[in-house]
Amino acid sequence: SKLRSAGYHIAIKDIMQKYTVEAISYAAQKSALEEQYEQAEVSGIVPLTPIIREFASWNLLKPHHFNQDMLMEIELEEEKQLREVLDALMAHHDILRSVYREGQLEIVKVRDSKAYELKVYDYSESEEQAAELMEAACTDLHSSINLEEGPLVKAAMFRTGAGNLLFLGIHHLVVDGVSWRILQEDISTAIRQVKEGTKIQFPSKTASYKAWAEALAEYKDSHLLQKERPYWEQVAAQMAAGEL
Protein backbone atom coordinates (compact mmCIF):
# COMPACT_ATOMS: atom_id res chain seq x y z
CA SER A 1 0.00 0.00 0.00
CA LYS A 2 2.81 2.41 0.90
CA LEU A 3 4.67 1.53 -2.30
CA ARG A 4 1.54 2.22 -4.37
CA SER A 5 1.17 5.60 -2.68
CA ALA A 6 4.77 6.37 -3.69
CA GLY A 7 4.08 5.38 -7.30
CA TYR A 8 5.55 1.88 -7.33
CA HIS A 9 4.01 -1.52 -8.07
CA ILE A 10 5.15 -4.84 -6.64
CA ALA A 11 3.41 -8.18 -7.16
CA ILE A 12 2.59 -10.34 -4.14
CA LYS A 13 4.30 -13.31 -5.81
CA ASP A 14 7.54 -11.28 -5.98
CA ILE A 15 7.36 -10.58 -2.26
CA MET A 16 6.79 -14.27 -1.53
CA GLN A 17 9.41 -15.64 -3.92
CA LYS A 18 12.30 -13.18 -3.64
CA TYR A 19 12.60 -13.28 0.16
CA THR A 20 14.89 -10.27 0.77
CA VAL A 21 14.21 -6.55 0.58
CA GLU A 22 17.10 -6.13 -1.86
CA ALA A 23 15.81 -8.79 -4.25
CA ILE A 24 12.25 -7.50 -3.99
CA SER A 25 13.41 -3.96 -4.74
CA TYR A 26 14.65 -5.01 -8.18
CA ALA A 27 11.14 -6.28 -9.01
CA ALA A 28 9.45 -3.00 -8.05
CA GLN A 29 8.27 -0.97 -11.00
CA LYS A 30 7.17 2.62 -11.39
CA SER A 31 3.47 2.68 -12.04
CA ALA A 32 0.57 5.06 -12.39
CA LEU A 33 -2.53 3.70 -10.66
CA GLU A 34 -4.63 6.22 -12.54
CA GLU A 35 -3.74 4.35 -15.74
CA GLN A 36 -4.30 0.88 -14.27
CA TYR A 37 -7.57 1.35 -12.40
CA GLU A 38 -10.78 3.31 -12.79
CA GLN A 39 -10.51 6.51 -10.75
CA ALA A 40 -13.99 7.82 -11.54
CA GLU A 41 -17.12 6.90 -9.60
CA VAL A 42 -17.98 3.20 -9.72
CA SER A 43 -21.61 2.01 -9.56
CA GLY A 44 -23.84 -0.82 -10.69
CA ILE A 45 -24.55 -4.47 -9.93
CA VAL A 46 -21.68 -6.43 -8.38
CA PRO A 47 -21.38 -10.02 -9.72
CA LEU A 48 -22.08 -12.56 -7.00
CA THR A 49 -18.88 -13.63 -5.27
CA PRO A 50 -18.62 -16.87 -3.27
CA ILE A 51 -18.96 -15.01 0.02
CA ILE A 52 -22.10 -13.15 -1.10
CA ARG A 53 -23.62 -16.47 -2.17
CA GLU A 54 -22.63 -17.95 1.18
CA PHE A 55 -24.28 -15.07 3.03
CA ALA A 56 -27.52 -15.65 1.13
CA SER A 57 -27.43 -19.39 1.88
CA TRP A 58 -27.35 -18.81 5.64
CA ASN A 59 -30.91 -17.42 5.67
CA LEU A 60 -30.12 -15.41 8.79
CA LEU A 61 -33.02 -14.42 11.04
CA LYS A 62 -31.74 -10.83 11.07
CA PRO A 63 -29.55 -10.46 7.95
CA HIS A 64 -29.54 -6.66 8.37
CA HIS A 65 -27.73 -6.99 11.69
CA PHE A 66 -24.54 -8.73 10.52
CA ASN A 67 -22.09 -5.91 11.04
CA GLN A 68 -18.61 -4.91 12.11
CA ASP A 69 -17.68 -1.70 13.88
CA MET A 70 -14.87 0.57 14.97
CA LEU A 71 -14.47 3.28 17.61
CA MET A 72 -11.64 5.79 17.26
CA GLU A 73 -10.59 9.08 18.79
CA ILE A 74 -10.89 12.04 16.45
CA GLU A 75 -9.45 15.54 16.74
CA LEU A 76 -12.50 17.29 15.33
CA GLU A 77 -14.98 19.48 17.14
CA GLU A 78 -17.47 20.39 14.43
CA GLU A 79 -20.07 18.05 12.96
CA LYS A 80 -19.71 19.86 9.62
CA GLN A 81 -16.03 18.90 9.41
CA LEU A 82 -16.80 15.28 10.20
CA ARG A 83 -19.41 15.21 7.46
CA GLU A 84 -16.79 16.49 5.01
CA VAL A 85 -14.58 13.55 6.00
CA LEU A 86 -17.38 10.99 5.69
CA ASP A 87 -18.64 12.44 2.39
CA ALA A 88 -15.16 12.09 0.91
CA LEU A 89 -14.79 8.57 2.32
CA MET A 90 -18.08 7.40 0.76
CA ALA A 91 -17.20 8.91 -2.60
CA HIS A 92 -13.75 7.29 -2.64
CA HIS A 93 -14.73 3.81 -1.38
CA ASP A 94 -17.59 3.06 -3.76
CA ILE A 95 -18.54 -0.29 -2.20
CA LEU A 96 -19.68 1.50 0.98
CA ARG A 97 -22.60 2.99 -0.98
CA SER A 98 -24.09 -0.45 -1.64
CA VAL A 99 -27.54 -1.88 -1.04
CA TYR A 100 -28.48 -5.56 -1.08
CA ARG A 101 -31.78 -6.41 -2.74
CA GLU A 102 -33.18 -9.76 -3.85
CA GLY A 103 -29.81 -11.46 -3.58
CA GLN A 104 -27.93 -8.77 -5.52
CA LEU A 105 -25.36 -6.30 -4.24
CA GLU A 106 -25.57 -2.95 -6.02
CA ILE A 107 -23.28 0.06 -5.68
CA VAL A 108 -25.40 3.21 -5.82
CA LYS A 109 -24.26 6.44 -7.44
CA VAL A 110 -23.24 9.22 -5.04
CA ARG A 111 -26.11 11.47 -6.11
CA ASP A 112 -28.67 8.71 -5.50
CA SER A 113 -27.19 7.30 -2.31
CA LYS A 114 -27.91 8.01 1.33
CA ALA A 115 -24.29 6.88 1.74
CA TYR A 116 -24.30 7.01 5.55
CA GLU A 117 -26.22 8.19 8.58
CA LEU A 118 -24.49 10.31 11.22
CA LYS A 119 -25.82 11.05 14.69
CA VAL A 120 -24.14 13.27 17.27
CA TYR A 121 -24.35 12.53 21.00
CA ASP A 122 -23.11 14.81 23.79
CA TYR A 123 -22.09 12.88 26.90
CA SER A 124 -19.66 15.48 28.20
CA GLU A 125 -21.92 16.15 31.20
CA SER A 126 -22.53 12.48 32.04
CA GLU A 127 -19.10 10.94 32.21
CA GLU A 128 -20.10 8.18 34.65
CA GLN A 129 -22.78 6.85 32.33
CA ALA A 130 -20.96 7.63 29.06
CA ALA A 131 -19.78 4.06 28.33
CA GLU A 132 -23.21 2.59 28.96
CA LEU A 133 -24.95 5.28 26.92
CA MET A 134 -22.52 4.86 24.01
CA GLU A 135 -23.02 1.10 23.97
CA ALA A 136 -26.80 1.54 23.82
CA ALA A 137 -26.50 4.13 21.03
CA CYS A 138 -24.19 1.87 19.00
CA THR A 139 -26.59 -1.07 19.39
CA ASP A 140 -29.45 1.09 18.12
CA LEU A 141 -27.39 2.16 15.09
CA HIS A 142 -26.45 -1.43 14.30
CA SER A 143 -30.10 -2.48 14.54
CA SER A 144 -31.20 0.32 12.21
CA ILE A 145 -29.21 -0.87 9.17
CA ASN A 146 -31.53 -1.83 6.30
CA LEU A 147 -29.94 -3.87 3.52
CA GLU A 148 -32.54 -2.99 0.89
CA GLU A 149 -32.89 0.71 1.56
CA GLY A 150 -29.44 1.53 2.93
CA PRO A 151 -27.28 3.06 4.06
CA LEU A 152 -25.05 0.18 5.15
CA VAL A 153 -22.85 2.64 7.05
CA LYS A 154 -23.97 4.12 10.37
CA ALA A 155 -21.83 6.68 12.16
CA ALA A 156 -21.91 8.46 15.49
CA MET A 157 -19.89 11.31 16.96
CA PHE A 158 -19.64 11.02 20.73
CA ARG A 159 -18.67 14.15 22.62
CA THR A 160 -17.11 13.25 25.98
CA GLY A 161 -15.14 15.09 28.60
CA ALA A 162 -12.02 13.22 27.50
CA GLY A 163 -12.44 14.11 23.83
CA ASN A 164 -14.52 13.19 20.80
CA LEU A 165 -14.98 9.69 19.41
CA LEU A 166 -16.13 8.41 16.04
CA PHE A 167 -18.14 5.19 15.83
CA LEU A 168 -18.62 3.43 12.51
CA GLY A 169 -20.90 0.42 12.11
CA ILE A 170 -20.83 -1.16 8.63
CA HIS A 171 -22.56 -4.24 7.27
CA HIS A 172 -20.15 -7.15 6.82
CA LEU A 173 -21.10 -7.49 3.14
CA VAL A 174 -19.02 -4.39 2.36
CA VAL A 175 -16.27 -4.41 4.99
CA ASP A 176 -13.80 -6.85 6.55
CA GLY A 177 -10.83 -6.84 8.89
CA VAL A 178 -8.36 -5.61 6.27
CA SER A 179 -10.76 -2.91 5.08
CA TRP A 180 -10.87 -1.30 8.52
CA ARG A 181 -7.16 -0.54 8.52
CA ILE A 182 -7.50 1.22 5.17
CA LEU A 183 -10.58 3.16 6.29
CA GLN A 184 -8.96 4.20 9.55
CA GLU A 185 -5.88 5.49 7.74
CA ASP A 186 -8.02 7.38 5.21
CA ILE A 187 -10.14 8.91 7.97
CA SER A 188 -7.02 10.11 9.79
CA THR A 189 -5.66 11.54 6.53
CA ALA A 190 -8.93 13.35 5.78
CA ILE A 191 -9.20 14.76 9.31
CA ARG A 192 -5.68 16.18 9.07
CA GLN A 193 -6.43 17.77 5.70
CA VAL A 194 -9.72 19.26 6.91
CA LYS A 195 -7.97 20.79 9.92
CA GLU A 196 -5.27 22.20 7.64
CA GLY A 197 -7.92 23.67 5.36
CA THR A 198 -6.72 21.72 2.33
CA LYS A 199 -8.72 19.61 -0.11
CA ILE A 200 -9.24 16.02 0.99
CA GLN A 201 -7.02 13.83 -1.18
CA PHE A 202 -6.80 10.07 -0.75
CA PRO A 203 -4.30 7.69 -2.40
CA SER A 204 -5.31 6.61 -5.91
CA LYS A 205 -7.93 3.89 -6.14
CA THR A 206 -6.89 0.32 -6.76
CA ALA A 207 -9.23 -2.28 -8.32
CA SER A 208 -12.82 -1.76 -7.18
CA TYR A 209 -14.76 -4.58 -5.55
CA LYS A 210 -16.97 -4.63 -8.64
CA ALA A 211 -13.99 -5.00 -10.97
CA TRP A 212 -12.52 -7.73 -8.77
CA ALA A 213 -15.83 -9.62 -8.72
CA GLU A 214 -16.03 -9.39 -12.51
CA ALA A 215 -12.46 -10.69 -12.85
CA LEU A 216 -13.23 -13.51 -10.41
CA ALA A 217 -16.28 -14.55 -12.46
CA GLU A 218 -14.16 -14.55 -15.62
CA TYR A 219 -11.40 -16.57 -13.96
CA LYS A 220 -13.93 -19.13 -12.70
CA ASP A 221 -14.67 -20.19 -16.26
CA SER A 222 -11.10 -19.92 -17.53
CA HIS A 223 -9.21 -22.80 -19.12
CA LEU A 224 -6.38 -22.27 -16.62
CA LEU A 225 -8.63 -22.95 -13.64
CA GLN A 226 -10.45 -25.84 -15.32
CA LYS A 227 -7.09 -27.58 -15.77
CA GLU A 228 -6.77 -27.68 -11.98
CA ARG A 229 -10.19 -29.28 -11.44
CA PRO A 230 -9.03 -32.94 -11.48
CA TYR A 231 -6.36 -32.15 -8.88
CA TRP A 232 -8.79 -30.48 -6.47
CA GLU A 233 -11.39 -33.21 -6.99
CA GLN A 234 -8.71 -35.73 -5.99
CA VAL A 235 -7.85 -33.69 -2.89
CA ALA A 236 -11.54 -33.47 -1.94
CA ALA A 237 -11.93 -37.23 -2.39
CA GLN A 238 -8.88 -37.91 -0.22
CA MET A 239 -10.22 -35.62 2.48
CA ALA A 240 -13.60 -37.33 2.39
CA ALA A 241 -11.86 -40.69 2.76
CA GLY A 242 -9.80 -39.42 5.70
CA GLU A 243 -6.53 -39.77 3.82
CA LEU A 244 -5.48 -36.13 4.38
Side-chain angles (χ1 to χ4, degrees):
S1 176
K2 296 297 185 184
L3 278 169
R4 284 198 300 265
S5 297
Y8 291 91
H9 170 74
I10 183 73
I12 297 298
K13 69 177 181 179
D14 288 327
I15 295 175
M16 301 300 291
Q17 293 175 356
K18 297 187 183 300
Y19 302 113
T20 69
V21 173
E22 181 182 13
I24 292 170
S25 70
Y26 290 117
Q29 300 175 353
K30 287 288 288 183
S31 66
L33 289 177
E34 292 83 354
E35 298 175 2
Q36 294 183 41
Y37 303 111
E38 178 62 58
Q39 297 299 307
E41 179 181 320
V42 175
S43 63
I45 299 294
V46 177
L48 294 178
T49 61
I51 195 62
I52 296 177
R53 294 179 188 275
E54 183 80 2
F55 174 75
S57 73
W58 292 337
N59 292 315
L60 297 176
L61 184 62
K62 296 182 179 180
H64 305 278
H65 198 156
F66 186 66
N67 318 319
Q68 295 186 333
D69 60 30
M70 173 186 72
L71 187 68
M72 63 183 290
E73 296 179 0
I74 54 171
E75 295 182 357
L76 285 180
E77 296 297 329
E78 298 180 19
E79 177 184 342
K80 179 182 177 182
Q81 290 180 313
L82 180 55
R83 288 192 180 276
E84 286 182 48
V85 170
L86 295 177
D87 286 345
L89 197 72
M90 300 302 135
H92 187 70
H93 295 286
D94 303 279
I95 191 65
L96 296 179
R97 303 191 308 274
S98 297
V99 292
Y100 181 74
R101 299 168 180 156
E102 300 179 355
Q104 289 281 1
L105 190 67
E106 179 182 359
I107 302 173
V108 183
K109 291 181 179 294
V110 172
R111 69 169 185 268
D112 301 326
S113 172
K114 297 178 183 177
Y116 66 92
E117 179 184 3
L118 172 64
K119 293 189 175 181
V120 179
Y121 301 85
D122 192 342
Y123 298 141
S124 55
E125 300 297 326
S126 51
E127 286 300 299
E128 294 182 1
Q129 295 83 29
E132 184 177 339
L133 292 170
M134 282 191 289
E135 183 175 353
C138 293
T139 299
D140 287 343
L141 287 169
H142 273 304
S143 302
S144 69
I145 288 180
N146 186 305
L147 283 170
E148 296 182 356
E149 300 298 326
L152 303 192
V153 179
K154 298 289 179 135
M157 182 179 188
F158 295 116
R159 301 185 187 279
T160 74
N164 293 335
L165 302 171
L166 169 64
F167 165 83
L168 281 180
I170 306 177
H171 198 279
H172 198 7
L173 274 176
V174 298
V175 76
D176 62 15
V178 176
S179 308
W180 283 113
R181 287 178 289 185
I182 298 169
L183 292 176
Q184 189 169 16
E185 183 174 344
D186 283 352
I187 290 169
S188 297
T189 296
I191 288 176
R192 185 184 71 252
Q193 292 170 338
V194 165
K195 291 179 66 177
E196 292 172 351
T198 59
K199 180 182 178 181
I200 296 177
Q201 186 71 42
F202 295 124
S204 298
K205 291 182 180 182
T206 56
S208 68
Y209 189 84
K210 182 172 179 285
W212 178 79
E214 290 168 349
L216 192 65
E218 182 179 344
Y219 178 64
K220 178 174 69 71
D221 298 322
S222 69
H223 176 68
L224 179 65
L225 188 61
Q226 292 305 316
K227 284 175 59 178
E228 296 183 8
R229 188 181 186 94
Y231 169 80
W232 292 112
E233 287 178 340
Q234 180 183 357
V235 170
Q238 290 176 313
M239 291 179 65
E243 297 174 9
L244 292 178

